[in-house]
């Protein structure tokens, strides 16, 4: 089943959440929409999702499904942080910029402490120093947990060694370790490692396992490797209003997403599309691809006349947010080679006329 009909080339490269859902996921929703099922996650499908995650991560894990990544992040962080705690994260992180204070809200006022570093990855030496400052000082909020994003907000990826080094910092200072895996699958197929290696084997306690950006309608999974967080998390999810009474519909999406490696196949498609775009842009005069395209996000510098012409042609993307003439293109599981080639043919044409 691929369910794809021929369509005009898609013009949107602004984010991976402008894509729809995989047909397998949509079909699963319809399939599970009849008959009775236990409420609030007591159904068989939800149990099956839990088993599938335990297989994927090669150990018992506790799984709680929620509708958004913001809920997953806020709930994970709140379970590892007292109100007087510090959550260490990168200044570019989603939890710092794009969640309207949800981590602070869910944790009853914990403090986000930003640690900078290149490519939206936090600097480990600086992290180690900062998590040792003012310990036990009653006037100062205290280190509680570290949150990293994999793949990061700019599409870069922490290596396994880097994750393990952060895990070491957390372990030695008794801090929780959270991973925002909104683009977990994109990172995993790029690193070509196991899900276990990228998480608990490197010390991660709690994962926000993203699915919405990579082929489901609306569902994300909180995956807990530290079983001591599980009981509290169940109460926290309900209290936050995120325990679905018809849980089967979240589970149906995630079940289909994990079946026959759909999540990995979708992520490969997204990453391959970004690679195709990077290759096509490289070497064009007046175009500079910035950084290595490791997942499904590409940054480049374009002539302002090229940016204008692409916008006029109807292409949708963000530009000049990260610096003058800097453009971000994001691909998704639904981006085809034809979509990419169509964009490239426009870029080539405009570049030729601008630089004629
Ligand atoms: C999209 C995204 C999320 C989740 O966002 P929601 O809109 O709350 O689902 C979390 N982290 C990162 C890095 C993201 O890009």
């Amino acid at each position: 089943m691929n369910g794809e009909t021929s369509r005009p080339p898609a013009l949107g490269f602004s984010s991976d959440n402008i894509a729809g859902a995989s047909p397998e996921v949509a079909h699963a929703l319809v399939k599970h929409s009849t008959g009775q099922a236990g409420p609030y996650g007591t159904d068989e499908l939800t149990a099956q999702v839990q088993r599938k995650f335990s297989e994927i991560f090669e150990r018992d894990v506790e799984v709680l499904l929620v509708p958004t990544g913001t809920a997953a992040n806020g709930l994970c962080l709140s379970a590892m942080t007292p109100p007087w705690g510090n959550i260490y994260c990168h200044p570019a992180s989603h939890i710092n910029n794009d969640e309207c204070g949800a981590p602070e809200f869910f944790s009853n006022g914990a403090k986000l402490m930003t640690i900078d570093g290149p490519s939206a990855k936090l600097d480990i030496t600086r992290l180690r120093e900062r998590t040792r400052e003012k310990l036990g000082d009653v006037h100062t909020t205290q280190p509680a947990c570290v949150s990293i994003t994999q793949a990061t907000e700019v599409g870069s990826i922490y290596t396994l060694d880097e994750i393990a080094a952060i895990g070491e910092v957390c372990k030695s200072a008794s801090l929780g370790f959270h991973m925002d895996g909104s683009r977990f699958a994109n990172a995993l197929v790029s690193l070509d490692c196991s899900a276990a290696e990228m998480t608990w084997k490197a010390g991660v306690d709690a994962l926000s396992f993203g699915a919405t950006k990579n082929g489901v309608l609306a569902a994300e999974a909180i995956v807990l490797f530290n079983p001591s967080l599980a009981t509290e998390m169940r109460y926290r999810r309900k209290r936050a209003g995120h325990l679905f009474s018809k849980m089967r519909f979240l589970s149906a999406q995630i079940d289909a997403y994990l079946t026959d490696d759909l999540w990995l196949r979708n992520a490969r498609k997204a990453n391959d599309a970004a690679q195709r775009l990077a290759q096509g842009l490289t070497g064009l005069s007046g175009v500079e691809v910035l950084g290595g395209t490791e997942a499904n996000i590409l940054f480049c510098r374009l002539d302002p006349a090229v940016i204008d012409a692409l916008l006029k042609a109807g292409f949708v993307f963000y530009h000049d947010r990260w610096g003058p003439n800097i453009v971000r293109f994001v691909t998704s599981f639904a981006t085809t080679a034809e979509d990419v080639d169509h964009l490239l043919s426009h870029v080539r044409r405009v570049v030729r006329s601008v630089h004629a």
Side-chain angles (χ1 to χ4, degrees), residues 15-17 67-73 92-95 98-99 149-153 180-183 208 212-213 220 297:
S15 179
D16 33 12
N17 61 5
T68 70
T70 299
N73 287 342
S93 62
H94 198 269
I95 61 170
D98 300 301
E99 301 191 352
T149 310
Q150 179 79 329
T152 71
E153 289 75 4
D180 175 351
S182 173
R183 298 187 178 86
S208 302
T212 304
K213 289 193 169 99
E220 314 268 309
I297 302 177

Side-chain angles (χ1 to χ4, degrees), residues 144-332:
C145 70
V146 177
S147 178
I148 65 170
T149 310
Q150 179 79 329
T152 71
E153 289 75 4
V154 302
S156 59
I157 293 176
Y158 285 91
T159 64
L160 293 185
D161 285 346
E162 288 168 338
I163 302 170
I166 295 170
E168 239 352 278
V169 171
C170 291
K171 195 173 162 202
S172 69
S174 301
L175 308 177
F177 189 3
H178 168 251
M179 179 180 281
D180 175 351
S182 173
R183 298 187 178 86
F184 187 82
N186 303 86
L188 192 67
V189 300
S190 183
L191 281 183
D192 196 20
C193 64
S194 73
E197 286 168 323
M198 205 167 83
T199 54
W200 61 272
K201 286 191 176 173
V204 174
D205 296 304
L207 166 69
S208 302
F209 178 94
T212 304
K213 289 193 169 99
N214 191 39
V216 317
L217 285 89
E220 314 268 309
I222 292 172
V223 180
L224 301 176
F225 307 108
N226 179 344
S228 71
L229 299 171
T231 303
E232 174 176 340
M233 192 68 83
R234 285 188 213 110
Y235 293 111
R236 282 187 175 274
R237 177 177 62 172
K238 174 66 191 185
R239 193 159 186 264
H242 286 308
L243 175 61
F244 273 44
S245 90
K246 292 190 180 175
M247 185 65 77
R248 70 165 116 170
F249 291 114
L250 292 194
S251 299
Q253 296 179 61
I254 297 290
D255 185 62
Y257 184 64
L258 300 179
T259 299
D260 297 332
D261 290 342
L262 177 62
W263 63 299
L264 300 173
R265 287 186 280 123
N266 276 1
R268 278 189 203 103
K269 281 193 207 163
N271 290 5
D272 288 351
Q275 280 305 322
R276 188 179 185 92
L277 186 55
Q279 279 158 20
L281 291 173
T282 301
L284 294 181
S285 66
V287 177
E288 188 191 347
V289 177
L290 304 166
T293 308
E294 295 180 83
N296 62 323
I297 302 177
L298 180 151
F299 284 87
C300 59
R301 193 175 280 117
L302 296 181
D303 195 295
V306 177
I307 296 177
D308 278 347
L310 291 176
L311 293 170
K312 279 211 187 75
F315 289 99
V316 186
F317 52 87
Y318 289 109
H319 61 94
D320 294 276
R321 279 188 169 193
W322 299 270
N325 307 329
I326 301 216
V327 167
R328 187 189 80 169
F329 292 120
V330 184
T331 56
S332 79

Side-chain angles (χ1 to χ4, degrees), residues 82 84-88 133-138 140-145:
W84 55 90
N86 294 333
I87 300 166
Y88 298 90
E133 286 167 3
K134 296 198 172 179
L135 295 184
D137 178 351
V138 76
T140 308
T141 49
Q142 294 293 302
C145 70

